[in-house]
């Protein structure tokens, strides 16, 4: 799910066998504030995004109960006395002053507090770009919940298992992530390519087949973007995707609440394997455990896995400033292929393209330190899938490279169509013989 707020993905590095995977408004409505705090609206006409923080907090257990106000008991202790600073906030001023209050109370590290404040201001600016008349309420409600979740995790850090299943109750982290990112997407200028193939994928999953989506990776918000563009037509895909997730998205306090709402295979990135040399052996062993979890999951069939064989997020060309999918690593592709073929269930591999970097672009360079700055925008997005590309049997290195390039070429071709639709202002007319664009939420 780089670090989720959302998630996701980075190369895996292990000992023998050497696997190397990668992971790191005008809109459909469904604003969510979790854990029975609010009514779940489904109509844009009913002020979809507006629910006051007061309404949320009325359903939250009092901190004296010793149970986390906004969290889940899974992966946490139950003896945390959780502050209600953010849930009780009635205005932007109270939220921002609450951050300072928590620092003064030594419940919040200054560096995390600085990130929270910057996150608030950047999110506010992006949501206001949408022109939604309820923008102020959307920002206050969503940020109050996010900051509460961040504080909760600082007080009592959640620990991810090698295979993390999305937490949906008593707090629905999945819907929280969906509705946090939703107001950042300009659905009027967003597109899905080859919707019929997503239906085909769902049918294969129903038949017990496994499916892998080999994708480029652009932002921490990728999982939410995928799910938001498919939630009306393909909710099963939206909610059941398993993301191969780099360690940064499960360690960054501002990212963890979003990651908790996704199905993840958690790995340590090959790019960051030796940031702390003394931890390298531990990371390799953890990756082996994660790969075993992946193998066991695939043996049960009906699994849908998203993986970014580039080993991280796309970044712009340093000279031209142009964005393009980062090249795929053939060993990552081939290791995933071998896992699929040895699962015992029929398997399929599809190339998937994402264009959404304007929502939350990554730093221009790969950073070692956790806690990157979040630049946030309101923008159109794009998602496309192409027909599966077949590969079977043992492959020579040359054949592996050819197969990887075939996947990458398809992703790039789809990406260019999405780019023409969004940045070239061609809209649906950018469709080609290989990529039929649609807006299924209309």
């Amino acid at each position: 799910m780089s670090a989720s707020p959302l998630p996701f993905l980075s190369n895996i590095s292990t000992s023998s066998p050497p696997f190397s995977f990668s992971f790191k408004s005008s809109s459909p409505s469904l604003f969510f504030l979790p854990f029975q705090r609010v009514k779940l609206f489904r109509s844009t006409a009913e002020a979809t995004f507006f629910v006051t923080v007061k309404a949320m907090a009325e359903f939250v257990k009092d901190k004296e109960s010793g149970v986390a106000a906004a969290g889940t008991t899974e992966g946490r202790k139950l003896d945390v006395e959780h502050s209600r600073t953010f849930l009780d906030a009635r205005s932007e001023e109270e939220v921002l002053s609450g951050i300072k209050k928590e620092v003064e109370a030594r419940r919040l590290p200054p560096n995390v507090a600085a990130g929270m404040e910057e996150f608030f201001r950047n999110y506010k600016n992006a949501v206001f770009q949408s022109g939604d008349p309820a923008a102020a309420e959307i920002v206050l409600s969503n940020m109050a919940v996010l900051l509460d979740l961040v504080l909760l995790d600082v007080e009592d850090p959640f620990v991810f298992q090698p295979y993390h299943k999305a937490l949906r109750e008593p707090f629905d982290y999945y819907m929280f992530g969906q509705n946090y990112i939703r107001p950042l997407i300009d659905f009027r200028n967003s597109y899905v390519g080859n919707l019929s193939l997503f239906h085909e994928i769902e049918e294969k999953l129903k038949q017990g087949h496994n499916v892998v989506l080999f994708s480029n990776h652009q932002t921490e918000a990728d999982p939410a973007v995928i799910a938001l563009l498919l939630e009306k037509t393909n909710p099963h895909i939206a909610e059941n995707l398993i993301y191969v997730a780099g360690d940064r998205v499960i360690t960054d306090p501002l990212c963890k609440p979003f990651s908790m709402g996704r199905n993840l295979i958690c790995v340590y990135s090959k790019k960051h394997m030796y940031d702390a040399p003394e931890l390298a052996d531990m990371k390799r062993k953890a990756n082996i455990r994660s790969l075993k979890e992946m193998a066991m999951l695939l043996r049960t069939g009906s699994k849908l896995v998203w993986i970014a064989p580039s080993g991280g997020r796309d970044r712009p060309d340093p000279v031209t400033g142009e964005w393009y999918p980062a090249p795929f690593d053939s060993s990552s592709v081939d290791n995933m292929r071998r896992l699929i073929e040895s699962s015992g269930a029929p398997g399929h591999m599809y190339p998937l393209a994402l264009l959404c970097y304007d929502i939350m672009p990554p730093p221009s360079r790969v950073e070692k330190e956790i806690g990157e700055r979040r630049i946030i925008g309101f923008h159109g997005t794009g998602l496309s899938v192409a027909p599966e590309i077949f590969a079977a049997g043992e492959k020579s290195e040359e054949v592996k490279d050819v197969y990887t390039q075939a996947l990458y070429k398809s992703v790039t071709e789809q990406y260019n169509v999405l780019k023409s639709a969004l940045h070239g202002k061609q809209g649906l007319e950018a469709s080609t013989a290989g990529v039929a664009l649609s807006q299924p939420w209309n």
Side-chain angles (χ1 to χ4, degrees):
M1 19 156 146
S2 154
S4 224
L6 291 176
F8 306 114
L9 314 182
S10 312
N11 273 1
I12 298 175
S13 178
T14 67
S15 59
S16 181
F19 292 99
S20 64
F21 289 124
S22 59
F23 172 69
K24 183 162 198 162
S25 97
S26 293
S27 67
S29 61
L30 183 58
F31 180 65
F32 172 75
L33 292 171
F35 189 21
Q36 295 185 335
R37 295 178 183 173
V38 296
K39 175 184 177 182
L40 185 61
F41 292 97
R42 290 185 179 271
S43 169
T44 310
E46 299 181 314
T48 304
F49 292 104
F50 175 66
V51 183
T52 65
V53 176
K54 179 179 180 181
M56 295 189 303
E58 286 176 354
F59 292 93
V60 181
K61 294 184 179 180
D62 204 353
K63 65 180 181 181
E64 282 75 18
S65 68
V67 178
T72 171
T73 59
E74 182 178 341
R76 298 189 188 281
K77 301 182 294 294
L78 294 179
D79 57 354
V80 176
E81 188 173 290
H82 182 57
S83 168
R84 293 174 57 95
T85 293
F86 301 114
L87 293 180
D88 287 343
R90 303 294 190 274
S91 66
E92 174 182 339
E93 291 72 21
E94 290 187 14
V95 170
L96 296 176
S97 65
I99 296 175
K100 295 180 174 61
K101 171 185 172 183
E102 294 301 325
V103 173
E104 293 169 357
R106 298 189 176 183
R107 286 189 290 261
L108 198 59
N111 64 321
V112 176
M116 292 165 76
E117 185 170 345
E118 181 182 48
F119 211 156
F120 187 103
R121 299 188 190 284
N122 289 347
Y123 186 72
K124 173 186 174 182
N125 291 337
V127 175
F128 271 78
Q129 291 172 24
S130 71
D132 193 311
E137 291 85 356
I138 294 169
V139 172
L140 178 59
S141 296
N142 279 352
M143 285 305 305
V145 176
L146 173 60
L147 298 183
D148 179 67
L149 294 174
V150 172
L151 178 60
L152 170 62
D153 196 72
V154 170
E155 294 170 335
D156 187 21
F158 182 85
V159 178
F160 288 82
Q161 298 302 310
Y163 170 53
H164 170 78
K165 192 168 177 58
L167 300 179
R168 304 299 303 267
E169 57 182 24
F171 179 93
D172 195 333
Y173 281 86
Y174 170 82
M175 287 308 305
F176 159 71
Q178 291 298 96
N179 291 288
Y180 187 91
I181 299 300
R182 188 186 309 276
L184 302 179
I185 296 180
D186 180 2
F187 284 90
R188 294 166 298 185
N189 296 300
S190 294
Y191 306 91
V192 174
N194 298 331
L195 185 62
S196 63
L197 290 179
F198 287 107
H199 297 316
E200 175 182 298
I201 289 170
E202 280 203 339
E203 285 302 314
K204 292 185 185 302
L205 294 172
K206 291 177 183 177
Q207 296 167 14
H209 298 198
N210 293 316
V211 175
V212 178
L213 302 175
F214 290 99
S215 174
N216 67 314
H217 174 32
Q218 295 214 307
T219 78
E220 293 179 327
D222 284 1
V225 171
I226 293 170
L228 286 165
L229 296 185
L230 295 177
E231 69 177 355
K232 182 175 180 180
T233 56
N234 303 93
H236 182 81
I237 290 177
E239 299 189 33
N240 288 280
L241 256 175
I242 301 170
Y243 297 86
V244 183
D247 57 293
R248 299 172 77 81
V249 305
I250 61 173
T251 54
D252 189 321
L254 293 178
C255 188
K256 288 178 69 175
F258 299 96
S259 300
M260 290 163 70
R262 306 291 158 176
N263 303 306
L264 306 178
I265 292 290
C266 302
V267 301
Y268 285 93
S269 167
K270 185 166 64 177
K271 290 183 177 180
H272 298 284
M273 183 61 60
Y274 295 98
D275 287 353
E278 68 276 11
L279 299 178
D281 186 58
M282 177 277 293
K283 292 179 179 180
R284 282 191 291 267
K285 291 177 179 177
N287 283 350
I288 292 173
R289 289 195 297 272
S290 295
L291 293 172
K292 289 180 179 177
E293 289 282 352
M294 171 81 84
M296 287 190 291
L297 284 171
L298 292 173
R299 286 182 195 135
T300 65
S302 298
K303 295 299 182 291
L304 177 62
V305 178
W306 184 94
I307 184 168
S310 59
R313 289 170 289 182
D314 302 336
R315 284 177 166 82
D317 184 283
V319 177
T320 66
E322 289 292 315
W323 289 74
Y324 52 86
F328 287 0
D329 176 71
S330 60
S331 62
S332 296
V333 171
D334 193 61
N335 286 326
M336 192 72 242
R337 177 191 66 82
R338 289 192 287 117
L339 275 178
I340 284 289
E341 292 183 354
S342 64
S343 70
H348 309 272
M349 293 171 281
Y350 290 80
L352 185 86
L354 271 169
L355 200 171
C356 58
Y357 65 80
D358 296 285
I359 296 291
M360 202 174 291
S364 58
R365 295 175 299 191
V366 176
E367 298 181 347
K368 289 187 177 181
E369 297 299 321
I370 297 294
E372 66 185 57
R373 296 187 62 189
R374 268 78 184 192
I375 301 170
I376 306 173
F378 172 77
H379 208 277
T381 59
L383 171 71
S384 179
V385 68
E388 65 176 301
I389 298 178
F390 297 90
E394 292 300 319
K395 305 291 182 183
S396 66
E397 289 303 315
E398 181 179 359
V399 172
K400 292 175 187 176
D401 289 342
V402 170
Y403 180 67
T404 299
Q405 286 305 309
L407 287 168
Y408 179 73
K409 179 181 178 182
S410 176
V411 169
T412 302
E413 290 173 349
Q414 294 177 80
Y415 183 86
N416 288 336
V417 173
L418 295 172
K419 185 176 178 180
S420 295
L422 271 70
H423 298 155
K425 309 293 185 183
Q426 295 182 29
L428 296 174
E429 294 183 359
S431 297
T432 65
V435 180
L437 298 177
S438 64
Q439 294 179 308
W441 44 86
N442 288 337

